């Protein structure tokens, strides 16, 4: 099992930037995939980004492609989500997740979750 703790959320104006961090503890190795999901009020949890812990492959939905960048620092056992050009519709609780079930953007493939961090974008 992997324990995940997110940080870096907050309030930002439209067009601004935030960087979220996800500190992982426990066993993490190249078989893991780290992802970010988000959940807005009254909506389901949706995929935001994924990266292989042991490689460079990344994936993003069209809604954030070109604005968000996922990365990880293996030495620090920490993942990041750099969010630029934020929009009010990006407002949500952002969750870090980890999986050994292959490179996926499916919610059900992730069995390790953080507690979430709130991101609010004002217009």
């Amino acid at each position: 099992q992997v324990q995940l703790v997110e940080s870096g959320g907050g309030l930002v104006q439209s067009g601004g930037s935030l960087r979220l961090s996800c500190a992982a503890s426990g066993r993490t190795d190249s078989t893991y995939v780290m992802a970010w999901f988000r959940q807005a009020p009254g909506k389901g949890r949706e995929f935001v980004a994924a990266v292989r812990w042991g490689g460079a492959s990344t994936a993003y939905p069209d809604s954030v492609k070109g604005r968000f960048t996922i990365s990880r620092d293996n030495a620090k056992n920490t993942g990041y989500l750099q969010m630029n050009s934020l929009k009010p519709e990006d407002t949500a609780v952002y969750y870090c997740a980890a999986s050994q079930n292959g490179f996926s953007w499916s919610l059900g493939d992730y069995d390790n979750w953080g507690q979430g961090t709130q991101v609010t974008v004002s217009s």
Side-chain angles (χ1 to χ4, degrees):
Q1 284 291 320
V2 175
Q3 292 75 48
L4 304 170
V5 179
E6 303 97 333
S7 61
L11 173 65
V12 64
Q13 288 188 332
S14 182
S17 298
L18 279 176
R19 189 177 80 156
L20 306 182
S21 298
C22 175
S25 60
R27 180 183 177 185
T28 54
D29 56 38
S30 61
T31 64
Y32 273 90
V33 175
M34 193 199 76
W36 290 90
F37 290 79
R38 66 185 180 186
Q39 188 164 16
K43 295 188 178 181
R45 197 167 295 191
E46 65 173 0
F47 171 72
V48 174
V51 65
R52 290 188 185 277
W53 203 257
S57 298
T58 58
Y60 307 91
D62 288 342
S63 58
V64 307
K65 194 174 293 183
R67 300 189 298 122
F68 290 11
T69 303
I70 189 171
S71 62
R72 80 277 183 268
D73 184 330
N74 291 3
K76 295 183 178 179
N77 230 21
T78 299
Y80 303 97
L81 183 68
Q82 177 66 45
M83 305 185 294
N84 298 329
S85 302
L86 283 162
K87 306 174 182 180
E89 51 263 44
D90 294 318
T91 295
V93 177
Y94 283 70
Y95 296 90
C96 177
S99 166
Q100 287 183 296
N101 296 321
F103 194 61
S104 169
W105 43 88
S106 175
L107 191 70
D109 287 331
Y110 289 83
D111 43 21
N112 298 278
W113 291 87
Q115 82 288 352
T117 185
Q118 176 70 46
V119 171
T120 303
V121 184
S122 63
S123 56

